Amino acid sequence: MQEAAAVSSSVRQPAAEPERVAPDAEVKAIAAGEATSTAAAAPPPPPEPAAAVTSSLRGSLKLVPGRGVSVAPGEVAEAFVYFMPSGKPVAPKAGRYTITTQDKRFEPGTLIVPVGSTIDFPNRDVVLHNAFSVSPDGNFDLGIYPGGDSKSHTFRQAGLVLVHCNVHHSMQADVLVVNTPFFTRVGVDGSFKLDGLPQGTGSLFLWHPRAALQSRLVDVPLASSYAAELIVTKVRVPPHMNKEGQSYRPDRAGGAR
């Protein structure tokens, strides 16, 4: 028995390795999913892109009468100017506009709108009116409606849309739908200004309902004011059929209504 005890006492059990306890700060960092002091530092955020450089374009437009036609004072105010950048296109923001029917005419007679815009056609007369178009870039028909009512149409395709009334032949509105946010109406003195244009090459368009569309390649900013002329060759309301493709009904005076 004493020999067994001696043998037993001579065999020493290995001491248990003490359990490692992480410091409080490290435990909290691990629990929170944070990087420890040995982790690489996060890269700095990328720099913000520089703001685009923009400029303005000023100019003047003059209407020149063609053979056998005349131009009324202030008629140049029916013209529009718009700019299309040569690089990446800038999408326009659609809006809401109004063309009023009053005194048997559309007012305004010309309107420029961004693609996707909606135009309201309120009838301010005491007679029935209609607004329709058979133009390939925006045909529609709002039907006949009385004074006090209003109808609308959304123009989803760029192009020129001639709007007529199916009741009155002499009524016409020219709606120019453009795929750019850079456009303006020409003043009664022929002056115009386009703001916020991206600097660089682009096409400048000049339009009037009685002239051919003119375009020029320009570099923005221009060294000087842009001067242009449009030759007037067309009548304000050309002959046209009603929405059924038939002639308008003659009135008592022998003319078309």
Side-chain angles (χ1 to χ4, degrees):
M1 294 293 294
Q2 291 179 353
E3 184 179 355
V7 173
S8 175
S9 62
S10 65
V11 179
R12 297 183 177 273
Q13 299 295 326
E17 184 178 350
E19 182 180 359
R20 181 177 180 273
V21 180
D24 290 345
E26 186 177 354
V27 171
K28 292 179 180 179
I30 295 173
E34 300 173 357
T36 62
S37 59
T38 59
E48 295 184 1
V53 180
T54 61
S55 185
S56 298
L57 188 154
R58 295 176 179 270
S60 61
L61 176 63
K62 180 180 179 181
L63 296 183
V64 179
R67 179 178 296 182
V69 300
S70 60
V71 178
E75 193 174 351
V76 69
E78 291 190 319
F80 298 109
V81 179
Y82 61 99
F83 178 79
M84 300 283 291
S86 297
K88 183 179 180 181
V90 181
K93 182 179 180 180
R96 195 161 196 118
Y97 300 81
T98 300
I99 294 180
T100 302
T101 299
Q102 193 164 8
D103 298 328
K104 295 183 180 180
R105 59 192 296 249
F106 289 118
E107 180 62 37
T110 62
L111 186 64
I112 185 170
V113 301
V115 66
S117 295
T118 299
I119 299 180
D120 297 315
F121 293 87
N123 183 357
R124 303 297 186 219
D125 276 336
V126 296
V127 298
L128 296 173
H129 281 300
N130 165 246
F132 80 95
S133 176
V134 294
S135 299
D137 294 325
N139 60 319
F140 69 95
D141 180 16
L142 300 183
I144 295 177
Y145 51 102
D149 283 3
S150 179
K151 295 190 177 183
S152 62
H153 177 71
T154 300
F155 295 77
R156 305 188 184 281
Q157 184 175 342
L160 178 62
V161 180
L162 304 182
V163 182
H164 300 286
C165 173
N166 203 53
V167 183
H168 305 95
H169 177 273
S170 61
M171 294 176 59
Q172 178 174 311
D174 295 52
V175 178
L176 187 61
V177 187
V178 294
N179 197 19
T180 176
F182 311 117
F183 59 85
T184 188
R185 180 184 287 272
V186 176
V188 293
D189 60 349
S191 64
F192 62 86
K193 180 184 178 184
L194 291 169
D195 290 320
L197 303 185
Q199 292 193 2
T201 305
S203 295
L204 185 68
F205 294 85
L206 300 105
W207 175 91
H208 187 274
R210 299 183 60 198
L213 178 67
Q214 182 184 120
S215 66
R216 291 289 185 273
L217 199 64
V218 299
D219 289 322
V220 177
L222 298 182
S224 59
S225 178
Y226 185 89
E229 293 182 348
L230 288 178
I231 300 177
V232 176
T233 59
K234 307 175 185 178
V235 297
R236 181 62 185 87
V237 181
H240 61 276
M241 299 296 182
N242 64 15
K243 64 182 182 181
E244 287 86 15
Q246 301 176 354
S247 298
Y248 279 74
R249 178 172 62 88
D251 62 16
R252 295 179 181 179
R257 292 184 59 185

